[in-house]
Amino acid sequence: MKKVIVIGSGFSSLSAACYLAKAGFDVSLYEKNSTIGGRARQLKKQGFTFDIGPSWYWMPDIFEKFFNDFGKNTSDFYKLKKLNPAYKIFFTDDVITIGDCMDKICEEFERIENGSSKHLRTFISKAQDNYDIAINKIVLRPGISPLELVTKDTVLRVDQFFKTISQEVRKRFKNPKLISTLEFPVLFLGAKPSNTPSFYSFMNFADFGLGTWHPEGGMYEIIKAMKALAEELGVVIHVNAAIEKIEVTNRTTSAVVVNGKNIKADIIISGADYHHSETLLDKEYRQYSEKYWNKKTYAPSSLLFYVGFDKRLKNIEHHNLFFDTNFEKHAEEIYDNPQWPSEPLFYANFPSVTDKSMAPEECETGFFLVPIAPGLEDTRTLRNQYFDIIMNRFELRTNQVVKNNIIFKESFCINDFIEEYNSFKGNAYGMANTLTQTAFLRPGLKSKKVEDLYFTGQLTVPGPGVPPSLISGKLVSELIIKKHL
């Protein structure tokens, strides 16, 4: 039985470990931190529960397919609730509410721009076709050859790879608030809407068509479910086990060094940060130079705050976007001219609105996120300065005073992403899905220089986000199974 070592315990690592254990490999997983989950870990404090990382549950079909592959359902592990409304977007002079079905969303669009619902239905119908092609065909390919992208479906849509989401949206809608609402979902792909192929409108179908969900107890319930499944399949999980080196013998993986000990392996998969994983190899075995990594476009990093409030808050939903400043300007300060944003957009998440188990009685669990460029200077002073900026705007837009009701706040930013996850430049979401960084143009799942060394996660195929990470784990396991079984 071939011995596989998986580095890291995020969604992609757990996914790969499960598929390989099911196929009969002897799988051990090593996590440097004291708890598993990678960027999707959990913080519990004074009765408050926070998801440290991902907080949006989109594409429920992908999660369902993952568990179905093992003869299970998501409902065997956690309970899902569809959010209504899905989220609110705060502008300077209005609030847009995104309901839980197309009829409600169309009604809201009509309120803002007369006649826009007809355009919206056409746009989402096209986005649904793209979703079907992307999720059932393209995304399930391992990014080895450009020919993977050439199918009868994609050939018919080739223009959508050379037009951008921005062009597609602005052709149909004139109101800037509706434009921002439709351009927002591609931010999950980590690139500006003006740099993202219009084919990626499938994210709009994920949003409006499939809806936004909440697993009872928070996103960490998915990690707990995957851990239970992995262990049931025979995966052995080690925590507090940082990998110090990947050993190579005769250009083939042979072992890892963990806490000073050599542990033999036939196959190694790293779901840790790709750039960091390559630094665990001797230089001659690295595929990509520092210059390569420095030239790439990264998805944003984030300044995050976890805040416990001693009262219930008003005028909020589970998910809230604050687009009451200039969307384009903030995007430029992330991608074109990296700097701390002058007037940041931000996101606020209050899971206790939906799920009372996530906060003490009559309290609120608050998670705030400011997208920022990776690689910026990160100091305590800057964090505090930005907390004041977003809390002032939060109070103004939601028409309430909350600063005096803060029991505690904890923050997480670039230095923490580097420290906790060895994240390149402290990025939060991996590498952006721009046209020149799509599919086979991303760092490969399989090492070109070392036999039986593989990679998975958001810096490789298919890209950033939780559902793509689950798929990434499946893709890498299929390459291994194909070679060894």
Side-chain angles (χ1 to χ4, degrees):
M1 194 192 293
K2 294 271 185 190
K3 183 163 174 48
V4 180
I5 283 180
V6 180
I7 303 171
S9 66
F11 285 107
S12 58
S13 294
L14 285 168
S15 168
C18 288
Y19 283 111
L20 289 171
K22 182 192 172 199
F25 290 87
D26 172 8
V27 184
S28 296
L29 184 146
Y30 291 82
E31 166 57 52
K32 79 182 270 283
N33 293 311
S34 58
T35 56
I36 68 157
R39 292 164 201 240
R41 289 179 305 152
Q42 190 181 59
L43 168 67
K44 286 194 166 195
K45 188 168 179 176
Q46 295 178 33
F48 294 85
T49 301
F50 300 88
D51 284 309
I52 285 181
S55 59
W56 291 78
Y57 193 105
W58 272 8
M59 307 186 183
D61 50 326
I62 306 280
F63 294 92
E64 207 55 65
K65 278 179 190 160
F66 171 78
F67 287 105
N68 291 170
D69 282 346
F70 302 92
K72 311 272 189 191
N73 300 305
T74 53
S75 57
D76 296 333
F77 299 98
Y78 53 87
K79 196 171 162 191
L80 278 176
K81 180 178 182 180
K82 191 174 192 186
L83 299 183
N84 182 33
Y87 54 93
K88 261 186 182 181
I89 307 178
F90 291 80
F91 295 94
T92 43
D93 56 348
D94 199 1
V95 179
I96 290 183
T97 302
I98 301 300
D100 64 346
C101 66
M102 275 301 292
D103 288 347
K104 289 178 190 170
I105 299 166
C106 283
E107 208 175 296
E108 186 73 332
F109 267 56
E110 279 297 321
R111 178 180 74 78
I112 306 276
E113 185 180 302
N114 209 7
S116 61
S117 64
K118 182 169 170 278
H119 295 302
L120 181 65
R121 287 191 189 275
T122 309
F123 178 72
I124 295 298
S125 167
K126 190 172 173 184
Q128 181 169 4
D129 291 343
N130 287 351
Y131 186 86
D132 182 48
I133 294 160
I135 299 307
N136 296 319
K137 294 171 184 159
I138 294 177
V139 128
L140 299 173
R141 295 178 178 174
I144 288 166
S145 153
L147 296 174
E148 291 171 9
L149 293 178
V150 184
T151 69
K152 66 177 195 305
D153 298 305
T154 55
V155 165
L156 292 172
R157 288 167 174 76
V158 75
D159 62 316
Q160 290 189 51
F161 287 92
F162 297 100
K163 280 191 201 131
T164 69
I165 279 279
S166 236
Q167 290 167 330
E168 188 76 16
V169 167
R170 285 155 199 257
K171 189 173 76 186
R172 299 167 192 270
F173 303 92
K174 295 292 165 269
N175 185 287
K177 289 187 279 248
L178 296 187
I179 289 169
S180 291
T181 301
L182 288 167
E183 287 185 346
F184 140 71
V186 300
L187 296 179
F188 283 108
L189 300 168
K192 281 168 69 175
S194 57
N195 279 350
T196 303
S198 69
F199 180 74
Y200 284 104
S201 68
F202 67 75
M203 291 297 288
N204 294 97
F205 175 70
D207 179 0
F208 290 0
L210 298 174
T212 303
W213 300 73
H214 171 71
E216 219 168 82
M219 294 290 281
Y220 197 66
E221 292 303 309
I222 313 159
I223 292 291
K224 281 157 64 175
M226 292 178 79
K227 176 181 189 271
L229 175 63
E231 290 180 332
E232 187 185 310
L233 291 162
V235 176
V236 179
I237 296 173
H238 304 267
V239 292
N240 298 315
I243 305 289
E244 289 146 19
K245 190 159 195 283
I246 296 172
E247 299 281 10
V248 177
T249 309
N250 301 327
R251 306 196 82 76
T252 302
T253 55
S254 55
V256 292
V257 179
V258 183
N259 298 334
K261 281 199 327 212
N262 246 42
I263 297 163
K264 297 213 170 309
D266 300 305
I267 299 157
I268 295 170
I269 307 171
S270 183
D273 177 272
Y274 204 128
H275 166 268
H276 168 72
S277 303
E278 287 225 313
T279 67
L280 300 173
L281 291 158
D282 289 335
K283 262 198 171 144
E284 63 191 288
Y285 300 122
R286 296 175 196 172
Q287 308 167 84
Y288 305 106
S289 65
E290 286 299 309
K291 192 174 162 194
Y292 170 91
W293 293 111
N294 281 315
K295 274 169 64 180
K296 292 295 165 190
T297 302
Y298 291 89
S301 188
S302 301
L303 168 57
L304 302 158
F305 295 102
Y306 312 106
V307 186
F309 295 94
D310 68 4
K311 69 169 185 182
R312 303 310 306 264
L313 305 189
K314 297 183 306 187
N315 306 326
I316 54 162
E317 294 300 338
H318 185 122
H319 296 290
N320 309 268
L321 299 162
F322 289 80
F323 285 6
D324 52 330
T325 58
N326 189 313
F327 189 99
E328 279 88 7
K329 189 177 181 195
H330 190 157
E332 277 166 22
E333 289 167 337
I334 293 173
Y335 297 105
D336 304 335
N337 182 19
Q339 59 184 285
W340 277 91
S342 42
E343 294 184 303
L345 284 79
F346 67 96
Y347 156 64
N349 167 273
F350 303 98
S352 43
V353 165
T354 305
D355 186 344
K356 301 291 180 277
S357 75
M358 297 192 75
E361 209 171 324
E362 291 310 307
C363 292
E364 208 83 80
T365 291
F367 166 108
F368 297 83
L369 181 154
V370 180
I372 57 172
L376 296 181
E377 178 194 23
D378 168 18
T379 66
R380 188 67 46 199
T381 308
L382 278 163
R383 294 187 191 196
N384 291 335
Q385 182 188 330
Y386 276 83
F387 186 71
D388 290 340
I389 290 170
I390 64 173
M391 288 318 289
N392 289 337
R393 290 220 330 262
F394 177 78
E395 289 186 332
L396 176 67
R397 298 290 165 229
T398 61
N399 197 24
Q400 62 190 319
V401 176
V402 300
K403 282 195 210 102
N404 298 335
N405 298 95
I406 293 173
I407 304 170
F408 66 83
K409 81 168 199 302
E410 294 211 359
S411 63
F412 198 97
C413 197
I414 286 172
N415 293 347
D416 303 295
F417 280 104
I418 294 168
E419 171 78 18
E420 305 272 326
Y421 311 129
N422 295 308
S423 164
F424 185 67
K425 292 187 177 177
N427 79 78
Y429 303 102
M431 196 180 276
N433 249 343
T434 58
L435 183 58
T436 56
Q437 293 183 175
T438 291
F440 66 96
L441 297 169
R442 296 177 73 78
L445 289 167
K446 185 177 187 301
S447 171
K448 300 187 204 84
K449 292 195 171 183
V450 180
E451 203 60 36
D452 290 325
L453 174 60
Y454 297 84
F455 302 87
T456 186
Q458 52 192 11
L459 282 167
T460 180
V461 181
V466 177
S469 292
L470 291 177
I471 292 166
S472 186
K474 182 176 189 177
L475 293 176
V476 78
S477 68
E478 285 171 349
L479 289 179
I480 293 166
I481 290 164
K482 193 172 164 188
K483 181 182 173 189
H484 288 279
L485 294 184

